[in-house]
Amino acid sequence: MIRFVLIFLCAMGVATALHYRFVGPIFASNNTDPMGYAALSAGLLAWLLTSTRLKFLPALLKGIGIWLGVVLVLVLGYGLQPEWMDLWNRLLATAIPQKGFSQNTGSWNVQKSSDGHFYVELLVNHVPIRFLVDTGAGSIVLTRSAARQIGLMPDRLEYTLNLQTANGMTRGAPILLDELRLGDLTLHNMPATVHAGELHTCLLGMTFFKRLDSYEVKRNWLTLRWQGNLGS
C-alpha cells in the first residue's frame, strides 16, 4: 500500500509540474477535469507498477513508453496540422510551380518555374487552366484549346480585336469568363480574349492584376494579395 501511495504521489507531482509548465496551474479554475484526469492516470500507473512482478516490470515500462510515444506523435501531428499543411503546400509548389499555395487568407504564392517564368493555375468556369504571368499583356488571353476546355467553340467566335504579340499583330475574340478562382479569390464576369492563332500558353495579363490589391516578386517567388472576393 505504501508503494502504491508513493508512486501515485510522484506521478501526480510530475503531472502537476507538466501541466503548470505547458498549460498553467492545475487548480487555476473551477474546471476539475485536468485534476481528475491526472488522478486517474496516476492511479492507473501506480496500480500497474505495484501489481506487476519485478521481473515483468521492464517489459511493462517499455510498453508504456511506446504507447506514450504513439500518443505524443498523434497529439503533435494534430496540433501541428497547419505547419504540416504549409510544408506539404511548399513541397507541392516546388514540384509543380503553377499550383502555388496560400499561407494567409487573401494571398497566393507562386514559385518561379525552371524556364524563368511564373505560371499560375486558375479555375476558369470550374476548369483548371495554366497561365503564364505576363504583366506586359493588357488582358487575359486564352488559347483555342483552353477555350474549348471551358465550353466555348473557338470556330464560332468573332475575332474582331487586334492583338499585338511578340510575333506581330494577330486577331482575338472578346469573351466574358463567368467565374475565375484562385484560392479564396473569386472574380465574376472577367473580360478575356481568345487568341485566333496558335498560341501555346494562356496569358495572365493586367486585366487580372488590376483587380488585386498588390503583387510583388521577391527572389524566386511571386506573391499576389487581395481583400475578400473582389469580384463578388
Side-chain angles (χ1 to χ4, degrees), residues 110 112 118 133 215-223 225:
V110 181
K112 183 181 291 185
F118 290 103
V133 172
Y215 58 93
E216 66 173 347
V217 175
K218 187 176 291 185
R219 296 177 183 171
N220 292 323
W221 289 92
L222 168 67
T223 301
R225 297 187 180 89

Side-chain angles (χ1 to χ4, degrees), residues 3 5 7 13 18 26 31 51 70 81 97 100 107 115 121 132 164-166 171 173 182 185 190 225 232:
R3 183 182 169 193
V5 172
I7 295 174
L18 291 175
I26 201 168
N31 184 8
S51 62
V70 171
Q81 245 181 334
S107 70
D115 63 3
E121 186 176 271
L132 167 67
Q164 179 65 51
T165 69
R171 307 287 285 178
L182 177 67
L185 172 67
M190 285 292 293
R225 297 187 180 89
S232 299

Side-chain angles (χ1 to χ4, degrees), residues 79-142:
L80 296 176
Q81 245 181 334
E83 287 77 7
W84 287 118
M85 285 303 298
D86 182 51
L87 177 60
W88 169 251
N89 288 331
R90 283 180 173 273
L91 291 174
L92 190 61
T94 301
I96 312 174
Q98 70 266 19
K99 287 291 185 182
F101 70 97
S102 176
Q103 285 182 302
N104 304 295
T105 301
S107 70
W108 197 258
N109 303 287
V110 181
Q111 188 174 32
K112 183 181 291 185
S113 186
S114 58
D115 63 3
H117 296 290
F118 290 103
Y119 295 91
V120 180
E121 186 176 271
L122 305 178
L123 285 177
V124 181
N125 296 351
H126 306 288
V127 178
I129 301 293
R130 179 177 181 259
F131 288 87
L132 167 67
V133 172
D134 185 359
T135 55
S139 64
I140 298 171
V141 182
L142 298 180

Side-chain angles (χ1 to χ4, degrees), residues 12-228:
M12 282 296 295
V14 172
T16 302
L18 291 175
H19 193 279
Y20 181 83
R21 173 65 178 82
F22 296 103
V23 180
I26 201 168
F27 302 105
S29 66
N30 294 327
N31 184 8
T32 58
D33 287 348
M35 185 63 185
Y37 293 142
L40 179 63
S41 300
L44 180 60
L45 179 63
W47 175 77
L48 285 173
L49 294 179
T50 53
S51 62
T52 304
R53 294 183 180 181
L54 290 178
K55 66 178 182 178
F56 298 125
L57 196 56
L60 176 64
L61 292 175
K62 181 179 179 181
I64 291 175
I66 292 173
W67 278 109
L68 286 176
V70 171
V71 171
L72 180 62
V73 169
L74 291 176
V75 170
L76 287 176
Y78 181 80
L80 296 176
Q81 245 181 334
E83 287 77 7
W84 287 118
M85 285 303 298
D86 182 51
L87 177 60
W88 169 251
N89 288 331
R90 283 180 173 273
L91 291 174
L92 190 61
T94 301
I96 312 174
Q98 70 266 19
K99 287 291 185 182
F101 70 97
S102 176
Q103 285 182 302
N104 304 295
T105 301
S107 70
W108 197 258
N109 303 287
V110 181
Q111 188 174 32
K112 183 181 291 185
S113 186
S114 58
D115 63 3
H117 296 290
F118 290 103
Y119 295 91
V120 180
E121 186 176 271
L122 305 178
L123 285 177
V124 181
N125 296 351
H126 306 288
V127 178
I129 301 293
R130 179 177 181 259
F131 288 87
L132 167 67
V133 172
D134 185 359
T135 55
S139 64
I140 298 171
V141 182
L142 298 180
T143 63
R144 293 170 66 90
S145 174
R148 291 190 192 93
Q149 286 181 259
I150 64 173
L152 300 178
M153 304 181 75
D155 293 334
R156 295 188 179 182
L157 298 176
E158 296 182 4
Y159 295 88
T160 58
L161 298 179
N162 292 318
L163 299 179
Q164 179 65 51
T165 69
N167 297 322
M169 295 296 296
T170 187
R171 307 287 285 178
I175 60 170
L176 277 180
L177 302 175
D178 294 335
E179 184 180 271
L180 191 152
R181 287 191 178 189
L182 177 67
D184 61 352
L185 172 67
T186 302
L187 300 173
H188 297 288
N189 298 321
M190 285 292 293
T193 304
V194 176
H195 196 279
E198 297 300 322
L199 187 67
H200 298 295
T201 306
C202 298
L203 304 178
L204 194 61
M206 290 306 296
T207 304
F208 172 79
F209 289 98
K210 286 179 180 178
R211 303 293 292 271
L212 306 178
D213 284 346
S214 67
Y215 58 93
E216 66 173 347
V217 175
K218 187 176 291 185
R219 296 177 183 171
N220 292 323
W221 289 92
L222 168 67
T223 301
L224 312 176
R225 297 187 180 89
W226 58 85
Q227 291 183 355

